[in-house]
Amino acid sequence: MASVRVLVTRPAHDAAEWVRRLSEHGIAAEALPLIDIAPEPPSPALRAARQHLADYDAAMFVSGNAVTHFKLGSDQLFFETKSAVAQLDQARAAIKTRAWSPGPGTTAALLRAGWPAARVDAPAPDAGQFDSEALWARVAPQVHAGVRVLLVRGGDAEGRAAGRDWLRERLAEAAAQVDTVVVYRRRAPVLDGAQAQRARAAAADGTIWLFSSAEAIANLRQCLADVDWRAARALATHPRIGAAARAAGFGVVLDTRPSLDDVRASIESLA
């Protein structure tokens, strides 16, 4: 496997973790972040969402970054106060807010942040996909008229809510009350000379591009608009991402589930 190189295109923090995990399994991986993540500046809406989290029946976090940036600026765990430990435990027991997670990465971030595992809803570990559709299959029975749901998500470079509205549409159809809060911004990266050179080489040298977002593919095309991708190879962690890679001109695109074991097996199949 050492002869095969993999470019991990997730945001920098996530990419570093994936590089570490792949390297532990003998895969020569390196990071080339194609999405830049920045915290949303403080705002009354963000402060209100943090302060009134327990007023919601459920909070849907679109990603691990959503969890991290929702808590940014506070060292406290979810729902913590300055109360004594006994009072804190009692308060936690009284809070009924459920966390909705689209996949294992978000679930892990919630647990690290102190959200009780018994109040996290997510697709089964062996689900065919980790996305809004798989999550909805799990949480739809919780939703009825008047249920309050907070969508915690990312925004574009100007802070406008970005991403799919599929889950919001299902909630609206069920007459749920839905609020949205943007907690981070997703921006196109500025590739330095070495990064641009590496990306150009990876278009034709057999490197495997690991894509977990169609936005990363769009940013790559924006950064290197003159590159021909017909000789490039890619792994995509969702069929929609695979479709974006094919539309961008990648010659070989393999769809894979986003778990480490599935990604490893897919890399091995392309080696």
Side-chain angles (χ1 to χ4, degrees), residues 7 38 45 47 59 72 84-85 109 123 136 167 225 235 245 259 262:
L7 279 183
R47 286 195 295 271
L72 197 65
V85 172
W136 181 244
L167 185 62
L235 290 181
S259 72
D262 286 294

Side-chain angles (χ1 to χ4, degrees), residues 11-65:
H13 177 77
D14 299 329
E17 177 64 13
W18 270 88
V19 166
R20 181 189 67 78
R21 295 169 70 192
L22 290 171
S23 298
E24 287 176 349
H25 289 87
I27 297 171
E30 57 188 297
L32 184 66
L34 291 178
I35 299 175
D36 181 40
I37 299 292
E40 179 69 11
S43 69
L46 184 50
R47 286 195 295 271
R50 287 169 171 157
Q51 291 170 0
H52 298 287
L53 177 61
D55 294 341
Y56 290 92
D57 296 289
M60 189 278 187
F61 295 86
V62 301
S63 65
N65 281 312

